Amino acid sequence: MLLGLDPLLTPDLLHALASAGHGDRIAIVDANFPAAANARRLIRLPGADAAAGLRAILSVLPIDDFEPDPALVMEVVGDPAATPEAVTDFSRLLRGAGAVPPRAVPRHDFYALAREAFAVVATGERRLYGNILLTKGVVR
């Protein structure tokens, strides 16, 4: 055990977050997301919801402030203006970390971006649309 770290920050997750460079993306995905089929590096947090995973990751990961949309979520299919409950939670957590709220992208665009992500963190999130992509920033 280490002092001061969220217990969701497993050794595999910490290694991935530390190994990622500025501009690399980390996907945090829900239980419905085809993570194994879309991940270059897959880290599982099966007992955690996506908001808890995001909270833990934001405690150690700087969010990019060079680009306008460092956080992306998946649009609701058939209702792109809708804001799912999980996305409301993500927005609150990002604001608390001093980052901008996420921008929604179409489902298949999100899948394509997740396939290119440095790592995919598969959570046990059961709420629909509990998926977010983060772009790593720099430590000043």
Side-chain angles (χ1 to χ4, degrees), residues 34-107:
N38 287 289
R40 294 177 1 185
R41 287 170 193 81
L42 179 59
I43 298 133
R44 293 194 180 275
L45 298 178
D49 64 38
L54 177 60
R55 183 180 310 107
I57 289 169
L58 288 175
S59 74
V60 296
L61 185 81
I63 301 301
D64 198 337
D65 59 2
F66 292 156
E67 67 174 71
D69 297 309
L72 301 170
V73 295
M74 188 185 297
E75 279 181 359
V76 174
V77 175
D79 189 3
T83 304
E85 181 183 351
V87 173
T88 299
D89 288 348
F90 297 158
S91 296
R92 180 181 44 79
L93 291 166
L94 287 164
R95 274 193 308 274
V100 298
R103 179 174 63 85
V105 297
R107 175 177 166 232

Side-chain angles (χ1 to χ4, degrees), residues 119-134:
V120 174
V121 180
T123 70
E125 178 64 66
R126 300 287 306 265
R127 296 177 295 177
L128 299 179
Y129 298 97
N131 307 296
I132 186 167
L133 278 159
L134 303 173

